[in-house]
Amino acid sequence: MLVQKRVAAIHDISGLGKCSLTVALPIISSVGIETAIMPTAVLSTHTGGFTGYTYRDLTTDLRPFAAHWKSLGISFDAIYSGYLGSFEQIEIVKEFIGEFRKDGCIAVVDPAMADNGKMYALFDMRFAREMASLCAVADIIVPNITEAVFMLGREYKKGPYTKEYIEELLFALSEPGPSKVVLTGVGFDETSIGAASYDRNTGEIHYALSKAIPGIYHGTGDIFASALVASYLSGRSLADSARIAVDFVCGSIERTKEAGTDVRFGVNFEAGLMKLAEDIGNCR
Ligand code: PXL
């Protein structure tokens, strides 16, 4: 029996709405990887499209959490951060990466803070600049196009995009630090959408596109990044992992569209978990 890999997932818990830890935990666990969680906040729902949600900030718990884990001699194969609620939380995640990064431990940052040309509720552009400084210390970053341009201090423009535009963005995102960038929301025409992955060490760029389904589906960025982490840590290449994650998200959206459920409550990713584990396992 191989020693199980372990990920530290640092995101909020939104009780309803299937995003952040409520998707990271089942997705990463489903491929046999242990998922330790550090909750940054507890909300009754996510902040996208709901009003009246509760929000309990857990910033003051995070350093004691990390100190306790350190005292237990625990190590991680990956540190995976997502939605962070404050500037201080960004600082704490940087410290956490500094403390726990060792040979073989990778830092994956999903700068979950914006989509479709807008920052999420509660965030401003200063936050985007701060998030860019966290991305600079990561090994892999997983922004969508909006997060990418906001971190670079640029204007958002709607797709479709050109290859030149996307590839210049990939280079600009990698330049301050992360050697691998997986950019989501990439499409070259109205019919397809997916991800572009770039590895600065090899110079390779790969595209993983699938059928575009119109609409805004909450939590799909978190589902994509979690599937990517699950796959990459299982030994698949970055490009394969992006392809697998795109297919997983696309299937989840298709099932949700067919069911006609309220999109604020998230997509049906659960029914795709078995196939995800098979897709990841097949090429080991
Ligand atoms: O899926 C991103 C996300 C995560 N967590 C919270 C959110 C959002 C997006 O709106 O509000 C609390």
Side-chain angles (χ1 to χ4, degrees):
M1 175 69 187
L2 283 172
V3 175
Q4 227 182 338
K5 292 210 168 152
R6 181 188 289 127
V7 174
I10 312 176
H11 310 239
D12 70 284
I13 300 178
S14 291
L16 262 178
K18 294 198 268 189
C19 62
S20 36
L21 283 180
T22 66
V23 305
L25 192 47
I27 291 170
I28 299 170
S29 295
S30 76
V31 299
I33 296 170
E34 178 184 346
T35 312
I37 61 163
M38 184 180 279
T40 57
V42 181
L43 296 83
S44 52
T45 66
H46 61 69
T47 66
F50 294 106
T51 54
Y53 46 81
T54 69
Y55 189 117
R56 185 166 302 274
D57 179 75
L58 295 179
T59 303
T60 55
D61 285 301
L62 301 186
R63 286 191 177 98
F65 230 90
H68 186 215
W69 284 359
K70 194 78 192 166
S71 77
L72 298 171
I74 286 293
S75 62
F76 299 103
D77 297 286
I79 298 159
Y80 164 39
S81 74
Y83 186 96
L84 303 174
S86 64
F87 287 76
E88 194 180 353
Q89 288 192 355
I90 291 176
E91 208 42 53
I92 292 171
V93 174
K94 284 186 203 161
E95 288 169 22
F96 188 94
I97 291 172
E99 193 68 49
F100 284 92
R101 186 184 252 158
K102 55 162 182 55
D103 288 345
C105 172
I106 56 165
V108 183
V109 173
D110 174 359
M113 61 182 175
D115 207 357
N116 300 294
K118 288 204 280 288
M119 293 298 282
Y120 293 153
L122 318 179
F123 294 136
D124 60 17
M125 281 309 205
R126 253 176 7 105
F127 192 81
R129 280 198 294 279
E130 204 60 27
M131 189 56 94
S133 73
L134 174 59
C135 285
V137 301
D139 299 291
I140 304 179
I141 60 169
V142 194
N144 59 39
I145 300 256
T146 306
E147 291 156 348
V149 295
F150 287 177
M151 287 195 294
L152 293 168
R154 301 183 185 178
E155 290 282 307
Y156 172 74
K157 61 177 199 161
K158 262 174 88 86
Y161 304 100
T162 62
K163 265 198 173 167
E164 293 67 37
Y165 179 80
I166 295 298
E167 294 182 5
E168 194 278 325
L169 264 186
L170 292 170
F171 301 147
L173 289 162
S174 166
E175 202 271 328
S179 63
K180 297 179 176 60
V181 178
V182 182
L183 182 63
T184 61
V186 172
F188 302 118
D189 57 43
E190 304 289 351
T191 65
S192 60
I193 191 139
S197 55
Y198 170 55
D199 186 335
R200 195 179 59 223
N201 296 328
T202 61
E204 281 181 60
I205 295 176
H206 291 272
Y207 293 95
L209 301 176
S210 80
K211 189 176 57 173
I213 304 171
I216 294 176
Y217 289 86
H218 279 280
T220 49
D222 300 0
I223 289 171
F224 176 86
S226 299
L228 183 93
V229 166
S231 176
Y232 190 72
L233 273 200
S234 299
R236 302 296 303 264
S237 70
L238 191 71
D240 280 354
S241 298
R243 168 86 263 161
I244 288 167
V246 163
D247 290 346
F248 182 56
V249 169
C250 184
S252 304
I253 292 175
E254 270 172 353
R255 281 187 290 276
T256 308
K257 189 178 171 65
E258 233 162 75
T261 44
D262 181 339
V263 294
R264 293 177 307 166
F265 292 100
V267 294
N268 179 358
F269 73 91
E270 294 90 337
L273 285 175
M274 199 93 84
K275 179 175 181 299
L276 176 70
E278 277 166 22
D279 285 353
I280 290 175
N282 276 345
C283 307
R284 235 181 242 159

